[in-house]
């Protein structure tokens, strides 16, 4: 029998005034700091030194936005700022926030999160300045953070809507990827400065990364061998498809640094392979390492990996461990 009683909303639903929340800086000058929200006081964000949350930078207006706890949740309102206020990549005038929503003001990204306790809100400005002083290493970088906190698709959406210029640099344990932005649009991308890999292939590969640090560096004066012609939305739609397909076969794949060799003596017939699979087989014979095969292949990473995986399963290839 179905329980007719109403269900409690999940914790990620619209916040209510009985819960306590903080705005957590996940990128920008105060990354790692938190600003508690009080039910009896709105927080005004802007460049003016007499405001509650002071963000001193050119892209922030004197009075930029207001964030307030109300009876029906947490609301954010843009105060006629020059460069706008963004929630999850969308420019807003007034919007009710959900737990986990990301807010972009200037070069700071804040996340609304639940708090165990309100904490001390009497000297938040000093606490945030201490956070900024502790992490101040390079003043030329306007934004930085973790792609675990702000995934690359979200970053590209934010930068597209806010028309950012610069170089988005993503560093993992093994690779350094760069995405070049012009007024929010992607014009080029490269991993480990290997320019022979087409920029779209580099972007789609970077979208599979789930761990690493990002920085938005100033624009570079650089000539590109080719430029990306797709919009950010088109890139993300195709990139997410690649990511879903990659995740489907990820567990079966050898390491990208693995050496792949012919499984000799070769028993299955080469005529059973398609032309595209034969091309991949030739690359394996020539280069061996899976990551190099991916770079050299004319097809997408997913199609190349599918071909390698099929040939391993059918006895053409094996991972040399």
């Amino acid at each position: 029998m179905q329980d007719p009683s109403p269900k409690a909303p999940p914790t990620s639903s619209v916040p209510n005034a009985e819960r306590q929340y903080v705005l957590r800086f996940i990128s920008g000058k105060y990354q790692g700091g938190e600003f508690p929200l009080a039910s009896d006081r709105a927080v005004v964000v802007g460049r003016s030194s007499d405001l509650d949350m002071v963000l001193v930078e050119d892209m922030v207006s004197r009075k930029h936005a207001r964030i307030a706890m109300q009876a029906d949740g947490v609301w954010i309102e843009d105060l006629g700022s020059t460069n706008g206020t963004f929630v999850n990549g969308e420019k807003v005038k007034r919007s009710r926030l959900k737990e986990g929503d990301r807010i972009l003001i200037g070069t700071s990204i804040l996340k609304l999160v639940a708090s165990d306790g309100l904490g001390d809100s009497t000297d938040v400005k000093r606490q945030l300045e201490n956070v900024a002083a502790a992490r101040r290493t390079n003043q030329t970088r306007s934004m930085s953070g973790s792609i675990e906190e702000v995934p690359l698709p979200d970053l590209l959406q934010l930068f597209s809507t806010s028309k950012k210029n610069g170089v988005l640099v993503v560093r993992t344990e093994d690779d350094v990827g760069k995405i070049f932005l012009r007024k929010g649009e992607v014009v080029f991308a490269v991993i480990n400065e290997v320019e022979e890999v087409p920029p779209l292939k580099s972007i789609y590969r970077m979208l599979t990364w789930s761990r690493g640090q990002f920085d938005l560096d100033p624009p570079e004066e650089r000539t590109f061998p080719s430029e990306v012609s797709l919009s950010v939305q088109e890139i993300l739609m195709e990139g997410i498809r690649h990511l879903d397909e990659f995740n489907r076969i990820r567990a079966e794949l050898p390491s990208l640094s693995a050496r792949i060799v012919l499984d000799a003596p070769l028993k299955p017939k080469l005529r059973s392979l398609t032309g595209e699979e034969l091309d991949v087989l030739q690359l394996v014979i020539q280069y061996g390492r899976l990551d190099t095969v991916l770079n050299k292949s004319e097809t997408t990473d997913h199609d190349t990996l599918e071909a390698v995986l099929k040939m391993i399963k059918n006895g053409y290839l094996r991972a040399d461990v």
Side-chain angles (χ1 to χ4, degrees):
M1 180 177 176
Q2 185 176 2
D3 182 2
S5 60
K7 304 296 183 185
T11 57
S12 59
S13 64
V14 174
N16 58 71
E18 296 178 358
R19 300 194 67 190
Q20 296 174 344
Y21 296 90
V22 298
L23 295 167
R24 177 176 297 159
F25 286 83
I26 56 177
S27 176
K29 176 182 178 182
Y30 300 121
Q31 182 188 343
E34 294 184 346
F35 197 108
L37 296 177
S39 57
D40 59 347
R41 182 181 178 185
V43 175
V44 180
V45 185
R47 203 171 64 239
S48 179
S49 60
D50 59 348
L51 299 181
D52 305 292
M53 186 187 296
V54 181
L55 301 177
V56 182
E57 56 175 282
D58 293 340
M59 294 187 66
V60 176
S61 299
R62 287 191 70 258
K63 289 188 176 181
H64 197 106
R66 179 188 293 111
I67 304 170
M69 286 280 294
Q70 298 179 0
D72 58 348
V74 180
W75 288 81
I76 186 167
E77 178 185 3
D78 184 80
L79 300 177
S81 66
T82 301
N83 293 296
T85 301
F86 301 86
V87 176
N88 298 328
E90 294 186 11
K91 193 173 185 178
V92 300
K93 291 294 185 183
R94 188 170 185 268
S95 178
R96 185 163 59 176
L97 299 174
K98 303 184 301 297
E99 187 177 339
D101 278 353
R102 298 181 180 93
I103 304 159
L104 175 66
I105 297 176
T107 62
S108 292
I109 303 176
L110 303 94
K111 184 177 182 180
L112 182 69
V113 298
S115 172
D116 295 332
L118 190 59
D120 181 13
S121 61
T122 58
D123 201 6
V124 177
K125 289 183 182 179
R126 182 180 59 81
Q127 294 170 19
L128 289 178
E129 286 303 328
N130 289 341
V131 169
R135 65 179 303 275
R136 188 179 295 124
T137 56
N138 190 340
Q139 295 295 338
T140 63
R141 285 177 176 158
S142 58
M143 298 183 71
S144 63
S146 164
I147 61 173
E148 293 172 270
E149 281 277 16
V150 195
L152 277 177
D154 292 7
L155 275 176
L156 290 177
Q157 182 68 50
L158 286 169
F159 295 160
S160 173
T161 311
S162 54
K163 300 187 183 304
K164 287 282 193 292
N165 292 304
V167 184
L168 176 59
V169 183
V170 185
R171 295 174 174 85
T172 71
E173 290 184 357
D174 303 312
D175 300 295
V176 177
K178 294 183 178 181
I179 298 176
F180 296 80
L181 301 167
R182 184 187 301 145
K183 294 183 179 179
E185 295 298 321
V186 174
V187 294
F188 191 70
V190 64
I191 298 174
N192 300 329
E193 297 298 338
V194 182
E195 291 192 354
E196 66 179 316
V197 179
L200 276 175
K201 180 182 281 194
S202 295
I203 295 173
Y204 296 148
R205 193 177 297 174
M206 290 171 67
L207 289 174
T208 67
W209 297 353
S210 58
R211 294 185 178 181
Q213 298 295 314
F214 73 85
D215 296 287
L216 182 62
D217 286 357
E220 291 183 11
E221 293 294 331
R222 182 167 176 172
T223 301
F224 305 117
S226 62
E227 291 198 4
V228 175
S229 59
L230 298 181
S231 69
V232 168
Q233 290 302 324
E234 291 171 318
I235 290 171
L236 292 180
M237 288 178 62
E238 183 66 12
I240 290 171
R241 183 182 71 82
H242 282 252
L243 178 58
D244 289 342
E245 292 172 342
F246 176 73
N247 286 335
R248 180 173 57 82
I249 63 174
R250 174 181 287 184
E252 301 178 88
L253 292 170
S255 166
L256 295 184
S257 61
R259 185 165 183 81
I260 309 298
V261 297
L262 281 173
D263 193 5
L266 189 61
K267 296 180 181 179
K269 303 297 184 183
L270 290 175
R271 62 172 176 264
S272 299
L273 299 177
T274 66
E276 290 77 9
E277 290 164 350
L278 286 171
D279 288 342
V280 173
L281 181 64
Q282 182 176 355
L283 292 174
V284 169
I285 295 171
Q286 288 178 317
Y287 299 105
R289 277 178 59 110
L290 183 54
D291 50 6
T292 307
V293 170
L294 290 174
N295 288 344
K296 298 290 185 180
S297 176
E298 295 181 0
T299 63
T300 66
D301 282 357
H302 173 261
D303 289 343
T304 304
L305 290 171
E306 281 273 27
V308 170
L309 188 58
K310 175 183 174 181
M311 287 188 281
I312 289 176
K313 289 182 175 179
N314 292 338
Y316 292 92
L317 301 173
R318 62 178 174 82
D320 186 11
V321 295

